[in-house]
Amino acid sequence: MKKLLFSLALLCPILAYSQSNNAPSSYDLHDITITGYLQTQYQKAQLSGIYSFSGGDFGKNSSERFMIRRGRLKIDRVDKYSSVVFQIDATQNGVQLMDAFIQFHKPGSKTFLFTAGLFNRPFGYSIVYSSGYRDFPERARVFQTLMPRERDLGAMISFRPKKDFKFITAEVAVINGSGHSARDYDSKKDIVGNLGFKFDSLANKKLHIGFGGSVYKGFVRSDTETYLSLQDNAYVKNTSAGNVDWYTKRDYYGANLQLQYDNTFGSSSLKAEYISGSQPGVGTSSSISGPVASTSFSAQPATDLYLRSFSGYYIWFTQQIAKTNLTALVGYDVYDPNKHINEKEIGAANSFTTAGDVKFSTLGYGLTYLINPRLKLTVYNEHVVNEPTQLPQYIDDLKDDVFTTRLQYRW
């Protein structure tokens, strides 16, 4: 039983709805069920006060910390017609609502599901896949930047056939676009679409394949008379009274792939995802610094918009070691917030470029050990590299590597 549970924990999202945040713990009829997980960890950074996508920035005078990374408590109920999910996240920073949605469907059939409330944006693989099952400590930098906290408020229709086309999943959602926030700052709504395919039992049931594509079509409102667009490695200011209450496009296009092969040595898994598109951001200031300048907004940006074309991807590889409870992890991800500019030109005089244009790559490696079916230990190191620029803070590679030791308990 222990080995069976361990193998299930390794599988791609090809297996269970419970591994998706946009689902109850089970679609079997049940009264109130409580599930969740707790992640407590110790981290060591190269320097004090670094910007970090490994659980948040470090304090000004701190390079070491203990923290509760996630403390999730999920309550759900399923009847013949509908289900309800309510999830909170309790950490040292307080308690925050994470999921609150209702799903309903035709009695006796879950081919079409309608979801309304606060839920994960249905984009790609890693956004929806639960952090309680993911082997790697954090999602890739590109997804943390574009979709911080992963969730949004809105409504979604899901198509999940059970018979002839059971290998297909299709989802379309209409959301506020302001992310994990109770207040939308404009009148337009964003549309997210996802199409996925999964094949569970190929090559004598040893090979599992999943792949898909996603689209995000959204907008960001301008609150000033000026926006900046890129021309020849420098931003050009476009100023007009008509730019106030003007909407710029926020469009993403993504593709993802998951492979798993159950071999004689142990399960091998490869997961990859690529995303590209346009991401309106801002310039750095006294209140907005570092990589945050290219992030998505939860409130109306009060400064001039920067129109950026980005690209990013991650590759995750895991290898179960000799069919034991040990799994080796290797991950690599890249986020280029401005793919049309030469890194050496960032920071040049009168270019108006900022830290929000700097490209980052991260090489991660580590081990997980499944102590028992509920308790998992993860040891992971991230080597973060930024491209050299002319910006004073980014002339050389920052010393912003992070080592993490995490203990997780799931119930």
Side-chain angles (χ1 to χ4, degrees):
M1 175 61 70
K2 190 173 184 180
K3 289 184 177 180
L4 173 61
L5 289 172
F6 179 66
S7 297
L8 289 175
L10 288 173
L11 290 180
C12 303
I14 340 181
L15 285 182
Y17 289 135
S18 63
Q19 294 180 5
S20 168
N21 285 327
N22 290 340
S25 56
S26 168
Y27 276 111
D28 295 332
L29 300 183
H30 63 263
D31 210 338
I32 292 176
T33 298
I34 300 176
T35 57
Y37 58 94
L38 177 65
Q39 296 174 346
T40 179
Q41 64 189 33
Y42 164 79
Q43 291 184 306
K44 169 65 176 174
Q46 273 188 294
L47 291 177
S48 300
I50 65 167
Y51 301 122
S52 177
F53 283 76
S54 298
D57 300 338
F58 281 73
K60 180 180 178 181
N61 301 305
S62 173
S63 63
E64 299 182 51
R65 64 187 180 191
F66 286 98
M67 66 184 298
I68 303 298
R69 179 61 184 97
R70 297 176 180 90
R72 301 291 171 84
L73 185 66
K74 184 175 183 179
I75 303 171
D76 60 72
R77 184 182 187 276
V78 176
D79 59 33
K80 291 175 59 177
Y81 312 97
S82 59
S83 58
V84 62
V85 174
F86 184 85
Q87 182 175 208
I88 59 173
D89 185 31
T91 70
Q92 68 280 344
N93 298 320
V95 178
Q96 187 175 34
L97 179 66
M98 292 303 296
D99 295 296
F101 59 84
I102 297 170
Q103 289 184 336
F104 63 88
H105 53 84
K106 180 181 177 181
S109 172
K110 299 182 183 68
T111 299
F112 287 96
L113 283 170
F114 179 82
T115 305
L118 177 65
F119 51 84
N120 279 68
R121 302 172 181 93
F123 189 98
Y125 167 78
S126 67
I127 287 293
V128 179
Y129 196 59
S130 171
S131 296
Y133 290 90
R134 189 181 59 245
D135 292 307
F136 293 81
E138 304 296 339
R139 292 176 176 87
R141 177 185 292 255
V142 59
F143 287 102
Q144 291 193 56
T145 303
L146 301 177
M147 303 181 190
R149 303 297 285 179
E150 298 88 50
R151 289 145 174 93
D152 212 319
L153 285 153
M156 176 172 64
I157 296 177
S158 304
F159 174 63
R160 296 173 178 174
K162 295 297 182 182
K163 294 182 180 179
D164 296 337
F165 298 97
K166 63 180 180 180
F167 55 87
I168 296 177
T169 298
E171 298 162 310
V172 177
V174 180
I175 58 177
N176 281 341
S178 53
H180 188 262
S181 170
R183 180 177 297 175
D184 194 7
Y185 59 81
D186 61 35
S187 296
K188 289 186 179 291
K189 297 295 172 276
D190 296 355
I191 298 176
V192 191
N194 181 63
L195 180 63
F197 302 86
K198 58 181 181 179
F199 301 93
D200 292 346
S201 303
L202 304 176
N204 294 323
K205 299 183 178 181
K206 293 182 178 181
L207 179 63
H208 312 275
I209 299 176
F211 57 92
S214 303
V215 176
Y216 186 110
K217 303 292 286 185
F219 303 90
V220 172
R221 178 185 176 275
S222 172
D223 202 37
T224 69
E225 294 184 353
T226 300
Y227 70 89
L228 293 90
S229 56
L230 193 67
Q231 292 183 15
D232 299 326
N233 279 335
Y235 284 104
V236 175
K237 290 188 175 182
N238 303 270
T239 302
S240 169
N243 289 336
V244 178
D245 204 29
W246 170 73
Y247 287 86
T248 181
K249 291 182 179 180
R250 175 189 176 193
D251 294 344
Y252 311 153
Y253 305 92
N256 62 86
L257 172 68
Q258 302 86 46
L259 300 173
Q260 179 178 307
Y261 185 67
D262 302 324
N263 51 67
T264 55
F265 184 75
S267 295
S268 303
S269 173
L270 177 69
K271 302 175 184 179
E273 195 161 359
Y274 175 83
I275 182 171
S276 182
S278 56
Q279 170 72 351
V282 295
T284 53
S285 66
S286 58
S287 59
I288 300 175
S289 56
V292 178
S294 62
T295 196
S296 297
F297 309 114
S298 59
Q300 171 65 59
T303 57
D304 298 339
L305 291 178
Y306 277 61
L307 308 188
R308 298 184 174 102
S309 295
F310 73 90
S311 65
Y313 64 89
Y314 68 81
I315 301 172
W316 290 341
F317 178 76
T318 66
Q319 177 62 58
Q320 183 185 8
I321 300 176
K323 293 189 176 181
T324 67
N325 288 8
L326 276 172
T327 300
L329 314 176
V330 179
Y332 183 72
D333 70 77
V334 173
Y335 175 50
D336 188 353
N338 196 334
K339 63 183 182 179
H340 295 312
I341 191 170
N342 188 318
E343 301 301 313
K344 295 180 180 179
E345 298 297 326
I346 297 176
N350 300 317
S351 69
F352 299 107
T353 51
T354 74
D357 298 297
V358 178
K359 179 180 179 180
F360 284 85
S361 62
T362 303
L363 174 64
Y365 47 90
L367 291 168
T368 67
Y369 178 64
L370 199 67
I371 300 172
N372 62 49
R374 297 187 181 275
L375 187 62
K376 182 171 71 173
L377 174 67
T378 301
V379 178
Y380 196 73
N381 188 67
E382 291 175 297
H383 177 52
V384 184
V385 177
N386 60 271
E387 297 291 334
T389 73
Q390 297 184 46
L391 295 171
Q393 288 183 298
Y394 296 88
I395 293 176
D396 298 313
D397 180 38
L398 300 178
K399 295 185 181 298
D400 52 356
D401 295 0
V402 178
F403 173 79
T404 301
T405 299
R406 172 182 295 176
L407 196 62
Q408 172 183 288
Y409 185 89
R410 191 176 70 242
W411 65 89

